[in-house]
């Protein structure tokens, strides 16, 4: 008999708890696994020996189902970068001691490309010191920018929220007879996947957003204003989707200077405010009614409009992670490979963590139009299967019920 531990790391998603439910289900179905520990606040919880016994928390099928549909991370998260062990081995020594003390033989880290740095470093350290603990990464991020996987859990639900919200914004923007421009700022930092996914509205004959701007190609204010003026010739209410991370010619974020200069432990800037900036620029230069909307954290925690495909896949990939560890794998991240689009089918495999950690998968430039202000049908075909289906949501007093650790 042995124990396992699981933790959640990085920015939340609507599906990260579903992967936790998957790891739990995989472990609970394995007779040799006794305790299933949840580490609070990612790897910080392991360093501080701060675990909860998930078997005591998830006591029924109802709990596990509710957990799957609850957004954000019930275990809390972190953006903690392990130092190189040659520089400072203290974290590694603590982690190895804590995991060994609890007879934990497998550690599952649900996170994005930065969190995979932790998986890579821990696996290398354990192997070098002959410590028998398997380390497996389970991907998640609304940014969809993790290498070697077709897509990441959490992305489909965020894409569904962005498209649904945009459609509602479109309805609102058309009510007056006067011309208007509405700019919607979407998360994704250095990768434009989520902003690009707003193109799915086209599948239902909706031409908006009329303009889509991504960080993968250079952004110019003059060109943006020309694009808006051109779009205004055809549409009374112009809708623009813009990534928080768009860059100008010198490769700097356009938001440099007015968004916070604070960075996280991995050196990433907190980006915010590009929509407001473009609103002011548009108002000053074009002079019509302009609004900007920052979708902000809603796009990563809006489980009431989650994608069932995403929620189910997130659970499956968590369950598959347990199987991979039991099969003796370590230093791997679980990945999806798309087998076909119609019918949509994926298989789950493992991939070497060293090919993934700290790298970013960008939105393909071939899927951006020549004008650099929209995306192609290939993008639409890639996105559509990921947003299909809706989980059944339980409501209490008219409000969706969430799984809460504090109850
Ligand atoms: O990692 C995903 C993400 O939501 C990015 O899209 C965004 O730029 C960043 O996290 C925000 O970071 P934080 O959660 O620390 O505010």
């Amino acid at each position: 008999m042995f124990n396992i531990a699981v933790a959640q790391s990085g920015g939340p998603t609507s599906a990260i708890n579903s992967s936790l439910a998957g790891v739990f289900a995989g472990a609970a179905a394995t007779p040799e696994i006794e305790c299933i520990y949840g580490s609070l606040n990612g790897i910080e919880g392991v360093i501080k020996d701060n675990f909860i016994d998930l078997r005591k928390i998830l006591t029924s099928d109802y709990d596990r189902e509710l957990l799957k549909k609850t957004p954000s991370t019930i275990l809390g998260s972190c953006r903690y970068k392990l130092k190189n062990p040659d520089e400072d081995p203290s974290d590694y020594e603590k982690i190895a001691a804590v995991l060994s003390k609890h007879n934990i033989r497998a550690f599952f880290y649900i996170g994005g490309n930065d969190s995979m740095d932790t998986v890579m470093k821990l696996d290398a350290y354990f192997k070098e010191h002959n410590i028998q603990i398997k380390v497996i990464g389970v991907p998640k991020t609304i940014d969809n920018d993790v290498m070697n996987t077709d897509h990441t859990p959490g992305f489909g639900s965020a894409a569904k929220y962005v498209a649904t919200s945009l459609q509602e914004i479109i309805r609102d923007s058309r009510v007056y007879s006067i011309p208007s421009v509405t700019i919607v700022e979407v998360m994704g930092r250095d990768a434009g996947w989520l902003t690009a996914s707003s193109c799915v509205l086209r599948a239902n004959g909706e031409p908006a957003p009329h303009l889509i701007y991504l960080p993968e190609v250079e952004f110019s204010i003059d060109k943006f204003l020309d694009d808006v003026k051109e779009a205004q010739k055809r549409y009374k209410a112009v809708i623009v989707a813009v990534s928080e991370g768009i860059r100008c010619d010198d490769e700097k974020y356009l938001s440099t200077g007015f968004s916070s200069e604070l960075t996280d432990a991995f050196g990433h800037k907190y980006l915010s405010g590009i929509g407001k900036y473009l609103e002011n620029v548009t108002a000053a230069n074009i002079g019509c009614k302009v609004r900007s909307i920052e979708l902000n954290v809603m796009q990563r925690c809006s489980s009431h409009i989650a994608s069932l495909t995403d929620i189910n896949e997130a659970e499956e990939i968590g369950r598959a992670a347990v199987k991979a560890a039991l099969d003796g794998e370590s230093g791997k991240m679980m990945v999806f490979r798309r087998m076909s689009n119609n019918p949509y089918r994926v298989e789950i495999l493992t991939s070497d963590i060293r090919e993934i950690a700290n790298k970013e998968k960008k939105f393909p430039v071939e899927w951006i139009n020549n004008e650099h202000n929209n995306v192609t049908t290939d993008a639409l075909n890639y996105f559509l299967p990921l947003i299909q289906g809706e989980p059944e949501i339980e409501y209490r007093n008219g409000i969706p019920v969430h799984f809460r650790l504090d109850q």
Side-chain angles (χ1 to χ4, degrees), residues 319-330:
R319 209 188 278 263
V322 176
K323 182 169 181 313
L326 292 172
D327 288 346
E329 300 214 52
S330 186

Side-chain angles (χ1 to χ4, degrees), residues 292-334:
S292 62
I293 295 149
E294 186 179 335
L295 295 181
N296 211 301
V297 299
M298 283 90 84
Q299 60 209 296
R300 61 186 198 190
C301 57
S302 296
S303 59
H304 61 284
I305 188 69
S307 152
L308 183 62
T309 301
D310 183 33
I311 298 297
N312 287 343
E313 284 184 350
E315 185 189 22
E316 264 174 61
I317 206 165
R319 209 188 278 263
V322 176
K323 182 169 181 313
L326 292 172
D327 288 346
E329 300 214 52
S330 186
K332 300 283 172 68
M333 187 190 80
M334 310 309 296

Side-chain angles (χ1 to χ4, degrees), residues 337-355:
R337 185 200 287 167
R338 196 179 299 212
M339 307 298 286
S340 71
N341 236 10
N342 197 7
Y344 170 68
R345 269 191 326 116
V346 287
E347 64 175 353
I348 299 175
L349 305 165
T350 56
S351 185
D352 190 330
I353 199 70
R354 289 165 300 183
E355 294 174 14

Side-chain angles (χ1 to χ4, degrees), residues 279-404:
E279 174 190 325
N280 292 336
V281 168
T282 310
N285 288 274
I286 298 184
C288 62
K289 179 182 183 219
V290 196
R291 267 192 194 284
S292 62
I293 295 149
E294 186 179 335
L295 295 181
N296 211 301
V297 299
M298 283 90 84
Q299 60 209 296
R300 61 186 198 190
C301 57
S302 296
S303 59
H304 61 284
I305 188 69
S307 152
L308 183 62
T309 301
D310 183 33
I311 298 297
N312 287 343
E313 284 184 350
E315 185 189 22
E316 264 174 61
I317 206 165
R319 209 188 278 263
V322 176
K323 182 169 181 313
L326 292 172
D327 288 346
E329 300 214 52
S330 186
K332 300 283 172 68
M333 187 190 80
M334 310 309 296
V335 296
F336 291 121
R337 185 200 287 167
R338 196 179 299 212
M339 307 298 286
S340 71
N341 236 10
N342 197 7
Y344 170 68
R345 269 191 326 116
V346 287
E347 64 175 353
I348 299 175
L349 305 165
T350 56
S351 185
D352 190 330
I353 199 70
R354 289 165 300 183
E355 294 174 14
I356 298 168
N358 304 313
K359 298 186 175 133
E360 276 172 332
K361 190 174 85 174
K362 304 280 189 180
F363 183 79
V365 178
E366 321 78 83
W367 289 359
I368 301 177
N369 69 353
N370 294 336
E371 288 286 297
H372 288 182
N373 61 15
N374 217 313
V375 298
T376 66
T377 308
D378 285 338
L380 174 67
N381 294 336
Y382 165 84
F383 290 128
L384 270 181
L386 308 181
I387 62 167
Q388 299 306 309
E390 296 75 39
E392 236 174 74
I393 307 278
E394 182 192 345
Y395 287 81
R396 193 182 301 145
N397 294 316
I399 299 161
V401 181
H402 285 172
F403 183 88
R404 287 166 50 179

Side-chain angles (χ1 to χ4, degrees), residues 138-155:
V138 181
K140 73 82 222 175
T141 171
I142 63 161
D143 296 351
N144 201 35
D145 60 350
V146 178
M147 300 296 288
N148 290 8
T149 183
D150 177 77
H151 57 280
T152 53
F155 172 71

Side-chain angles (χ1 to χ4, degrees), residues 11-12 79 140-143 187-189 244 269-270 300:
R79 292 198 188 271
K140 73 82 222 175
T141 171
I142 63 161
D143 296 351
M187 276 183 165
R189 206 182 269 138
E244 62 177 5
K269 280 197 176 158
Y270 297 107
R300 61 186 198 190

Side-chain angles (χ1 to χ4, degrees), residues 152-222:
T152 53
F155 172 71
S157 294
K160 192 171 178 113
Y161 172 80
V162 167
T164 307
S165 303
L166 261 155
Q167 176 165 257
E168 290 163 351
I169 291 166
I170 291 163
R171 293 281 82 72
D172 181 282
S173 71
R174 289 192 182 152
V175 297
Y176 301 118
S177 58
I178 56 166
S180 68
V181 177
T182 307
I183 299 161
V184 181
E185 174 180 333
V186 183
M187 276 183 165
R189 206 182 269 138
D190 299 320
W193 294 96
L194 192 54
T195 311
S197 73
S198 59
C199 75
V200 295
L201 293 174
R202 257 193 249 160
N204 290 357
E206 171 56 66
H210 309 106
L211 298 168
I212 297 177
Y213 295 100
L214 309 178
E216 280 78 3
V217 286
E218 193 180 295
F219 183 88
S220 132
I221 292 283
D222 291 341

